[in-house]
């Protein structure tokens, strides 16, 4: 029963990440998603110290804020034109991440936040943390959090589909036509931050980039429209998370590791097929 | 000209006063005064790094100037936004973006639609008309990564046509294209001019300058000359603006 829960949490996490992942790939922001997934850590810890409940929605808000702080600081530094964008990402996120790590080692060595689970996640713990209201068990809280995040991500992409495509393909024309690229950028970064936090239990802060980027990059190899790319990214996320789960059971390894490995395997298989001109969508 | 006689139609398409733009305190455009009348095909010429693209981007408010005023059709940019079409350099976008020619041309309708509104039948019909006008109807469903340089450029021109603008600003529309595209773009420019529209295009190649445009602005950080081709396309002006960057031995014969 627990292992089924673990499988489902991995599956929902992979789906949640694959949706914004498609635009992260198209906007060439892979590094930004990595930076965000690290920078949400101090937000998670600080919010946890306040509410003392690991699956409280307040944690998501706190973490999303620290993710956005990273995006803002990065913009601020790169706008000075003294350093390039990638360098300013590299300047900001290790700082925020290290604050998170220091907070963990100071405050909570006895609580179930371990450096290890921060890095690669601890999916089993979240599968055990059930939502209980008036004595009735409604299953793991993660289901509800991840389900909401998937819904929010889908809504975001449906509502802003035209604007996202325009600013991604031709940001200059987008500005000229009167759309606010920066507003959309921050909205999108909020979505990525929320998703990174919700995925934290299942993937930690290192491996979540695999879930964001690899299924979408795999879909980008052969798809011809953005919609198809998103659909295929979700399909690859499903395949990788299920097969990765069984892989990790077989090797008795961290589930997130198994999923990340399978993401890579699916990418390599697809790349080979595309090179052989076997598939097109 | 007496100012009280000026009607709306006589307003310049673009009027620039004392424009100065700098990147990191290094001036890219210096004290530009330029008036471009309506209904002309104006080429902005100059060597690499002359600030040609920056001039276009300043008109479009994509670049923030240090000083200066720019009026388009007598108004601020924000008021006449919907009457202006922009074609960026082809290299400014990622042609691996998963979209078809039709998808890209449709983007030209987004300005009229604004936030949230979806394109409908009217927009689709407009997009198809524009695709036909640039001779790309066979390629409407083609993936943009599969297009040649000329086909990419025609896609961009179609996207600008969809905007149904009065002023067209284009960045290097003739760079790296085939003869068919060149002909098609020239014909469209003339048609647009016939409709009273204004075309302003950055162009770096000197040899073809007088074929494409009926007015020329010679720019190299500051403006060296601006006016009708026959008045501006002269050796001493070009030489002065291009300085050491211009190889006369190859191009001398085209200038008198």
């Amino acid at each position: 029963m627990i292992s089924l829960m673990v499988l489902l949490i991995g599956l929902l996490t992979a789906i949640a990440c694959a949706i914004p992942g498609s635009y992260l790939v198209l906007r060439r922001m892979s590094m930004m998603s990595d930076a965000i997934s690290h920078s949400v850590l101090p937000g998670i810890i600080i919010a946890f110290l306040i509410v003392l409940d690991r699956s409280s929605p307040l944690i998501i808000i706190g973490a999303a804020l620290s993710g956005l702080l990273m995006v803002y600081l990065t913009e601020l530094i790169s706008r000075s034109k003294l350093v390039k964008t990638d360098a300013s990402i590299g300047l900001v996120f290790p700082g925020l991440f290290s604050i998170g790590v220091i907070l963990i080692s100071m405050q909570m060595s006895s609580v179930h936040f371990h450096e290890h689970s921060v890095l690669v996640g601890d999916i089993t713990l979240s599968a055990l943390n059930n939502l209980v209201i008036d004595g009735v068990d409604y299953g793991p809280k993660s289901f509800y959090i991840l389900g909401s995040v998937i819904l929010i991500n889908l809504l975001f992409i449906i509502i802003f589909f035209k604007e996202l495509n325009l600013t991604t393909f031709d940001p200059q024309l987008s500005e000229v036509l009167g759309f606010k690229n920066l507003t959309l950028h921050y909205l999108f970064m909020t979505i990525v931050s929320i998703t990174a936090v919700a995925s934290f239990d299942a993937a930690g802060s290192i491996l979540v980039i695999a879930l964001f980027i690899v299924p979408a990059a795999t879909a980008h190899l052969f798809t011809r429209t953005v919609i198809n790319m998103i659909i295929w990214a979700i399909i690859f996320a499903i395949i990788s998370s299920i097969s990765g789960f069984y892989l990790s059971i077989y090797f008795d390894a961290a589930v997130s590791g198994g999923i990340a490995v399978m993401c890579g395997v699916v990418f390599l298989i697809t790349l080979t097929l595309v090179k052989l001109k076997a598939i097109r969508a | 000209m007496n100012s009280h006689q000026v009607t709306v139609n006589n307003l310049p398409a673009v009027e620039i006063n004392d424009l100065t733009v700098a990147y990191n305190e290094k001036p890219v455009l210096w004290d530009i005064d330029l008036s471009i009348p309506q209904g002309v095909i104006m080429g902005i010429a100059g060597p690499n790094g002359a600030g040609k693209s920056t001039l276009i981007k300043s008109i479009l408010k994509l670049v923030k100037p240090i000083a200066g005023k720019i009026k388009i059709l007598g108004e601020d940019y924000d008021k006449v936004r919907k009457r202006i079409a922009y074609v960026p350099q082809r290299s400014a976008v990622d042609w691996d973006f998963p979209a078809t020619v039709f998808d890209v041309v449709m983007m030209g309708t987004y300005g009229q639609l604004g936030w949230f509104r979806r394109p409908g039948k009217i927009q689709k019909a407009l997009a198809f008309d524009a695709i036909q006008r640039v001779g790309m109807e066979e390629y409407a469903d083609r993936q943009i990564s599969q297009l040649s340089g000329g086909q990419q450029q025609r896609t961009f021109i179609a996207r600008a046509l969809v905007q149904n603008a009065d002023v067209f600003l284009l960045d290097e529309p003739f760079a790296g294209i085939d003869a068919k595209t060149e002909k098609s773009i020239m014909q469209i420019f003339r048609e647009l001019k016939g409709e009273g529209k204004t075309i302003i295009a950055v162009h770096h190649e000197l040899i073809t300058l007088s074929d494409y445009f009926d007015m020329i602005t010679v720019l190299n950080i500051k403006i060296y000359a601006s006016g009708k081709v026959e008045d501006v396309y002269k050796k001493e002006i070009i030489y002065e603006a291009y300085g050491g960057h211009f190889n006369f031995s190859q191009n001398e014969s085209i200038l008198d």
Side-chain angles (χ1 to χ4, degrees), chain A residues 111-124:
Chain A
V111 194
H112 51 243
F113 264 109
H114 295 298
E115 285 90 340
H116 171 73
S117 69
V118 164
L119 295 181
V120 297
D122 201 337
I123 206 165
T124 325

Side-chain angles (χ1 to χ4, degrees), chain A residues 211-253:
Chain A
L211 298 182
F212 272 130
I213 302 304
V214 185
T218 311
H220 191 32
L221 290 172
F222 64 94
T223 49
R224 299 168 54 155
T225 65
V226 176
I227 294 177
N228 276 350
M229 181 174 165
I230 296 168
I231 292 170
W232 276 100
I234 293 172
I235 293 171
F236 290 134
I238 294 170
I239 295 171
S240 309
S241 60
I242 296 174
S243 55
F245 170 76
Y246 287 108
L247 187 76
S248 68
I249 291 204
Y250 184 78
F251 287 107
D252 193 21

Side-chain angles (χ1 to χ4, degrees), chain A residues 158 162-163 170 176 224, chain B residues 77 114 116-118 143 159:
Chain A
I158 290 167
K162 156 175 136 266
E163 291 80 4
D170 194 341
V176 167
R224 299 168 54 155
Chain B
Y77 175 79
F116 307 120
R117 270 177 63 204
R118 299 291 170 113
Q143 172 83 11
R159 187 179 68 174

